[in-house]
Amino acid sequence: MSSTELPGTSLAAATAVPRVSAVRVAEGEKLRSVTLPGLTLNVRARPPARTGLPPALYVHGLGGSSQNWSALMPLLADRVDGEAVDLPGFGDSPPPDDGNYSVSGQARACIRLLDASGRGPVHLFGNSLGGAVATRVAAVRPDLVRTLTLVSPALPELRVQRAAVPTGLLALPGVASLFARLSKDWTAEQRTRGVMALCYGDPEAVTPEAFQHAVQEMERRLELPYFWDAMTRSARGIVDAYTLGGQHGLWRQAERVLAPTLLVYGGRDQLVSYRMARKAAAAFRDSRLLTLPDAGHVAMMEYPEAVASAVRELMDDSGRS
């Protein structure tokens, strides 16, 4: 099935990308840049323990980056040849030339990356926005996906979590610029504490080293002149995806996914409701569910060992089927 099944977009002027402080690279990781027509993607690789392992692709959430997978990737390095992508406009990937930050646009970017590299089919991972993106990729290009692991995927909810409302408000014209003005005096440390309070089940469990790394990454992001534009357009993309009906609706596409699927939900998630776990398990035809009562929105960062163990079971069982 062709990736052209995804809704199209109009072209916009390319955005000049300034050089800012370098992104952090954990021990054992390597970065590479993949240039495609109208699109440049930064890819973080974790060399596999041995040659011949099946490939994996990790997709982060709104406001995140490929670094969000640095805790999980080494735990699976003996099972997969893992790469994590910075979605367009995030991490070290510049904005897309067409200005398209929709879920479909981000899914198309991942599809183009996989097609260009010839790495498919992959074990595909997605968190939050990346979970919506991965769901769309698996639905429209089943040939590219071996298994699917979704951590707190951003799938439409009738009753949105109260803490998620500000993200939705970013989609409204003028709100991002207003918030940027109101928060101009906030330090990177204050912003980081706010993000962790929202995303972690227990922010106090974050080590001082990990917190400092997060602060440094926040400082780097704030140097990017397109930071707020990427956040705004991506938030609008999530809202738009929630309202799409028909074959492009995310729940309809979840029903079309053929790959064995692992769903991971946190009991303390303030952005994606824990109550959505059962609905998701019913929607994905070949699914299993891991619930972590003390986890927040980023279980792969808070409880990487538990997530890795469940992924191994998924791979083992799918390999025997």
Side-chain angles (χ1 to χ4, degrees):
M1 188 175 296
S2 171
S3 61
T4 58
E5 181 176 321
L6 295 167
T9 56
S10 59
L11 290 177
T15 303
V17 181
R19 295 306 304 172
V20 297
S21 54
V23 297
R24 179 175 176 272
V25 183
E27 184 178 354
E29 294 180 346
K30 296 181 179 179
L31 299 182
R32 66 186 178 94
S33 182
V34 178
T35 301
L36 302 167
L39 184 69
T40 299
L41 297 172
N42 181 64
V43 177
R44 182 179 303 268
R46 166 67 61 172
R50 62 183 184 278
T51 60
L53 293 179
L57 181 67
Y58 301 82
V59 188
H60 65 81
L62 177 66
S65 74
S66 58
Q67 293 185 62
N68 293 164
W69 299 101
S70 289
L72 181 64
M73 290 174 70
L75 300 181
L76 295 173
D78 64 326
R79 297 297 300 270
V80 298
D81 180 358
E83 292 188 343
V85 62
D86 286 328
L87 291 173
F90 295 96
D92 213 27
S93 292
D97 284 3
D98 61 5
N100 183 2
Y101 288 96
S102 69
V103 171
S104 294
Q106 303 283 30
R108 188 180 295 110
C110 292
I111 288 171
R112 292 180 62 194
L113 173 65
L114 291 173
D115 279 341
S117 66
R119 281 172 56 85
V122 297
H123 293 287
L124 184 60
F125 296 73
N127 168 235
S128 192
L129 165 63
V133 170
T135 296
R136 187 150 288 176
V137 171
V140 303
R141 289 293 302 273
D143 59 303
L144 291 179
V145 182
R146 295 172 186 252
T147 66
L148 180 64
T149 297
L150 304 177
V151 181
S152 295
L155 300 174
E157 300 183 40
L158 291 177
R159 291 184 296 159
V160 177
Q161 295 273 79
R162 181 179 300 177
V165 170
T167 300
L169 290 177
L170 277 179
L172 298 177
V175 171
S177 58
L178 173 62
F179 182 76
R181 291 196 299 272
L182 293 176
S183 63
K184 63 182 177 62
D185 295 327
W186 294 6
T187 66
E189 181 173 329
Q190 289 173 319
R191 295 175 189 271
T192 301
R193 289 194 186 280
V195 170
M196 288 188 168
L198 187 62
C199 293
Y200 281 73
D202 180 12
E204 298 302 320
V206 178
T207 66
E209 181 183 23
F211 179 76
Q212 191 55 44
H213 289 157
V215 171
Q216 292 168 358
E217 176 60 16
M218 179 65 73
E219 291 172 341
R220 195 195 73 83
R221 291 178 190 177
L222 292 172
E223 295 176 11
L224 298 169
Y226 54 81
F227 171 77
W228 284 111
D229 184 61
M231 288 290 292
T232 300
R233 291 174 182 263
S234 296
R236 190 172 300 145
I238 295 175
V239 172
D240 289 345
Y242 274 33
T243 61
L244 275 178
Q247 64 175 332
H248 296 301
L250 284 169
W251 285 115
R252 179 71 63 84
Q253 293 197 319
E255 294 170 353
R256 292 170 54 189
V257 170
L258 301 177
T261 301
L262 169 65
L263 300 162
V264 183
Y265 282 82
R268 296 184 179 179
D269 194 333
Q270 300 181 62
L271 296 172
V272 170
S273 175
Y274 190 66
R275 65 176 178 267
M276 299 303 294
R278 289 188 180 276
K279 180 174 182 177
F284 290 88
R285 66 180 71 188
D286 183 5
S287 68
R288 61 188 63 197
L289 179 62
L290 172 64
T291 57
L292 298 169
D294 294 326
H297 192 59
V298 287
M300 74 285 187
M301 300 172 72
E302 295 180 90
Y303 295 94
E305 292 85 2
V307 175
S309 178
V311 170
R312 288 173 179 275
E313 291 180 8
L314 174 70
M315 293 178 179
D316 288 343
D317 291 348
S318 63
R320 288 194 291 264
S321 61

